[in-house]
């Protein structure tokens, strides 16, 4: 993927929420936006599974992302993640957000291809992710 | 107001299929693509979708149950027809599997209707439709036929050409309420005989136009599916008739004299003899003689590879030179499970490519051995 995932995730976080909103709220908003959009293509269950895996993988760097039982939220992984993000300081939240989103996008890219993922991310965040793929006539 | 309605025919993008359909797929038709697992239903649907979808004619691919969308997208991208640049633009995907599991057919229909009204797709694909059928057997669910009729009515009103893709076994037959509603029914199958498997396609039904009847051979490659019509396209230009009495010299002086000047143009001649009796020598001479006269030729070989053929057969060095000059085409056809239709198509394409007026098939025995058992 030619996109710098970490830099893109940082810009996504900055683009979400109102000025002065808690970083954790912006992170949850961004996760909800991308998962709702991709669920239309991949299905709710498929996206939940991918998101769960992204959180679990990211918890190797940020162990507090999963609860003591090692779970990442079951049926509502974003809600559960939001609750854990709310307990952290803004810098830690931003770092965790960047890692989880990069992991999620990377996983999806390995499954359905980077070109397709970029198209879909452009639909979600047109001002952040370039949509420069040209359609074949 | 008395003029008859003209139905536009859409080019499907599947080589050979438009001929079988009778010129293309009728616009706004409601079609079913049916067949057993692994026979290419989803692939042919994607191939048609990517070929037909444009900014003016957007497509919507609705997956329900069956192959998970992530896997479907992953595998379909392996075909060269899959154009990621069209995705999210002229090609949109929508997954409604969760709606079917949690709420049933009513909510699936409402989801399709909502999306169609919001985006006005001109091409709609519902995959796998059979999963809808199975789910509909649950008590209290909307009747399947009612669902299909409403879907057909709605999508036709919105001027969408629709495809329902579903797993059906051949033994289930064609008498099904879904097939009754459909304008078109394309049936895919795999014929197994001994160790060979041949893909087949049949247009069981197509309202409003004359499709080519029968079961046609189909091949799958990295480029997608290709259909080989079992009968030539009746609209394709015919070969100009040979002048009465016109003959082609074989290049064997005594033989030409015995034949009254050569082989009559347009004739098929079988050369029979034991191994080593000079059959290949004679046919090579026939080709070389034609090229001397300014004609071009095709040699279809089945038993040896082209380089081996040109190294071992008489006049081989000359043949190699003529191939390089574009005057001769060596057609090597030795895959397993070859079909007669495919061979015909390859030969016709080779003849057209070099403008050949002389064709040699070396040998009929090799050809027969290369054919799938069901064609022998």
């Amino acid at each position: 993927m030619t996109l710098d995932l970490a830099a893109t995730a940082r810009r996504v976080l900055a683009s979400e929420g109102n000025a002065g909103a808690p970083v954790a709220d912006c992170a949850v908003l961004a996760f909800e936006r991308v998962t709702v959009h991709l669920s239309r293509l991949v299905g709710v269950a498929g996206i939940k599974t991918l998101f769960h895996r992204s959180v679990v993988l990211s918890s190797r760097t940020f162990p507090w992302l999963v609860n003591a039982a090692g779970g990442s939220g079951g049926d509502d992984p974003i809600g559960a993640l939001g609750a854990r993000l709310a307990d952290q300081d803004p810098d830690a939240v931003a770092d965790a957000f960047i890692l989880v989103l990069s992991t999620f996008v990377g996983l999806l890219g390995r499954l359905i291809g980077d070109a397709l993922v970029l198209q879909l991310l452009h639909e979600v965040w047109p001002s952040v992710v370039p949509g420069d793929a040209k359609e074949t006539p | 107001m008395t003029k008859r309605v003209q139905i536009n025919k859409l080019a499907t993008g599947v080589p050979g299929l438009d001929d079988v359909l009778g010129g293309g797929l009728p616009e706004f038709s409601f079609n079913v693509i049916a067949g057993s697992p692994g026979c290419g239903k989803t692939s042919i649907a994607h191939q048609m979708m990517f070929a037909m979808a444009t900014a003016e004619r957007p497509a919507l691919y609705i997956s329900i149950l069956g192959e998970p969308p992530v896997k479907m997208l992953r595998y379909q991208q392996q075909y060269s027809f899959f154009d990621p640049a069209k995705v999210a633009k002229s090609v949109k995907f929508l997954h409604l599997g969760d709606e079917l599991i949690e709420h049933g057919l009513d909510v699936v229909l409402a989801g399709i209707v909502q999306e169609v009204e919001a985006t006005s797709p001109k091409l709609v694909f519902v995959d796998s439709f059979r999963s809808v059928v199975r789910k509909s057997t649950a008590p209290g669910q909307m009747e399947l036929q009612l669902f299909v009729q409403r879907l057909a009515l709605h999508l036709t009103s919105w001027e969408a050409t629709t495809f329902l893709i579903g797993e059906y076994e051949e033994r289930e037959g064609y008498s099904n309420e879904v097939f009754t509603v459909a304008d078109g029914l394309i049936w895919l199958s795999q014929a197994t005989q001994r160790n060979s498997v041949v893909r087949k396609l049949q247009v069981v039904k197509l309202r409003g136009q004359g499709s080519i009847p029968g079961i046609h051979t189909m091949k799958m490659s990295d480029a997608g599916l290709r259909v080989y019509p079992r009968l030539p396209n009746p609209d394709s230009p015919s070969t100009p008739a040979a002048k009465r009495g016109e003959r082609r010299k074989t290049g064997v002086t005594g033989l030409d004299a015995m034949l009254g000047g050569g082989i009559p143009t347009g004739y098929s001649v079988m050369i029979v003899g034991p191994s080593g009796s000079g059959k290949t020598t004679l046919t090579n001479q026939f080709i070389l003689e034609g090229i001397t006269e300014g004609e071009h030729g095709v040699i279809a070989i089945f038993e040896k590879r082209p380089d081996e053929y040109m190294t071992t057969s008489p006049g081989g060095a000359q043949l190699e030179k003529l191939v390089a000059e574009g005057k001769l085409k060596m057609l090597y056809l030795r895959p397993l499970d070859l079909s007669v239709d495919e061979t015909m198509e390859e030969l016709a394409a080779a003849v057209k490519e070099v403008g050949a007026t002389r064709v040699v098939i070396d040998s009929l025995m090799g050809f027969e051995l290369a054919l799938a058992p069901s064609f022998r």
Side-chain angles (χ1 to χ4, degrees), chain B residues 160-174:
Chain B
T161 308
T162 306
F163 302 85
L164 306 184
I165 297 135
E167 283 178 7
Y168 288 90
E169 296 293 340
E170 229 157 332
R171 62 173 180 272
E172 293 180 73
Y174 305 136

Side-chain angles (χ1 to χ4, degrees), chain B residues 39-58:
Chain B
C39 61
K41 300 180 297 297
T42 299
S43 299
I44 204 169
H46 273 81
Q47 192 171 349
M48 288 197 279
M49 176 172 69
F50 277 100
M52 293 192 283
T54 60
E56 296 74 33
R57 196 197 296 133

Side-chain angles (χ1 to χ4, degrees), chain B residues 252-333:
Chain B
V252 182
T253 315
L255 181 61
D256 285 336
M258 287 164 67
L259 292 169
I263 297 168
T265 300
Y267 270 40
S268 301
V269 177
M270 186 180 282
I271 298 168
V272 186
S275 182
S277 58
K279 301 184 295 296
T280 299
T281 307
L282 175 54
T283 54
N284 284 354
Q285 212 162 334
F286 172 70
I287 288 289
L288 291 169
E289 176 66 18
I291 288 168
T292 308
E293 298 285 325
E295 298 176 53
H296 288 183
V298 169
I299 302 178
I301 52 175
F302 297 88
E303 289 155 296
K304 292 178 180 173
R305 292 183 179 279
D307 52 350
E308 192 187 352
Y309 186 90
M310 289 189 278
T311 310
T312 56
S313 69
Q318 280 173 279
L319 297 180
E320 202 167 351
K321 186 169 165 280
L322 295 170
V323 168
E325 290 171 356
K327 294 175 180 171
L328 172 68
K329 171 99 177 166
M330 297 291 293
L331 191 60
Y332 176 61
L333 294 165

Side-chain angles (χ1 to χ4, degrees), chain B residues 13-29:
Chain B
V14 179
L17 181 57
D18 292 348
D19 287 340
V20 171
L21 290 169
L25 198 83
E27 197 173 29
F28 314 149
S29 56

Side-chain angles (χ1 to χ4, degrees), chain A residues 39-46 50 108 110-116 119-120 123 131-137, chain B residues 53-55 63 69-71 73-74 77 82-96 98 115:
Chain A
S39 292
R40 288 167 51 81
L41 172 73
V42 179
V44 176
L50 275 178
L108 198 57
R110 285 204 292 282
L111 286 169
I112 65 171
D114 294 341
L116 201 49
Q119 290 283 342
L120 297 166
E123 282 196 316
D132 49 6
K134 294 230 174 7
E135 187 166 341
T136 310
Chain B
T54 60
S63 55
V70 166
K71 294 180 87 175
L73 289 168
R74 179 174 171 79
Q77 278 185 66
F82 192 101
D83 184 359
K86 282 194 173 183
V87 177
K89 291 179 182 166
S90 55
V91 169
K92 289 198 173 170
F93 289 92
L94 175 66
H95 183 66
L96 292 177
D98 303 303
E115 188 65 24

Side-chain angles (χ1 to χ4, degrees), chain B residues 120-285:
Chain B
S120 294
K122 294 296 169 202
L123 304 163
V124 176
F125 297 78
V126 183
D127 185 7
S128 156
F129 183 68
R130 195 61 198 268
S131 56
V132 177
V133 176
R134 289 186 180 123
K135 183 72 182 168
S136 76
T137 55
Q141 293 278 316
M142 182 193 280
E143 288 283 330
L144 173 70
Q145 194 164 12
L146 183 63
F147 171 85
V148 175
Q149 277 174 341
R150 284 191 185 169
L151 188 65
L153 182 68
H154 191 85
L155 293 172
T156 308
S157 303
W158 279 82
E159 298 185 320
T161 308
T162 306
F163 302 85
L164 306 184
I165 297 135
E167 283 178 7
Y168 288 90
E169 296 293 340
E170 229 157 332
R171 62 173 180 272
E172 293 180 73
Y174 305 136
S175 53
N176 181 297
E177 61 266 41
V178 177
F179 302 160
T180 310
V181 177
D183 301 316
L185 173 58
I186 299 173
W187 199 282
L188 309 184
S189 58
Q190 297 191 78
T192 307
Q193 197 168 346
R194 290 187 230 163
N195 291 334
S196 107
V197 176
V198 179
R199 292 180 186 277
K200 306 271 188 175
L201 177 144
Q202 184 184 5
V203 178
V204 178
K205 171 185 182 182
L206 191 61
R207 287 187 177 129
Q209 68 189 51
S211 55
I212 301 180
I215 298 173
H216 310 273
T217 308
M218 202 170 65
K219 274 257 167 164
M220 191 182 271
S221 70
D222 290 348
L225 288 148
R226 182 185 180 92
V227 180
Y228 296 95
R230 59 188 285 269
L231 301 171
N233 179 0
D235 295 330
S236 59
S238 57
T239 313
K243 287 178 196 154
R244 187 179 291 275
E246 190 181 71
R247 287 172 187 269
R248 311 269 166 169
K249 286 182 185 171
T250 63
V252 182
T253 315
L255 181 61
D256 285 336
M258 287 164 67
L259 292 169
I263 297 168
T265 300
Y267 270 40
S268 301
V269 177
M270 186 180 282
I271 298 168
V272 186
S275 182
S277 58
K279 301 184 295 296
T280 299
T281 307
L282 175 54
T283 54
N284 284 354
Q285 212 162 334

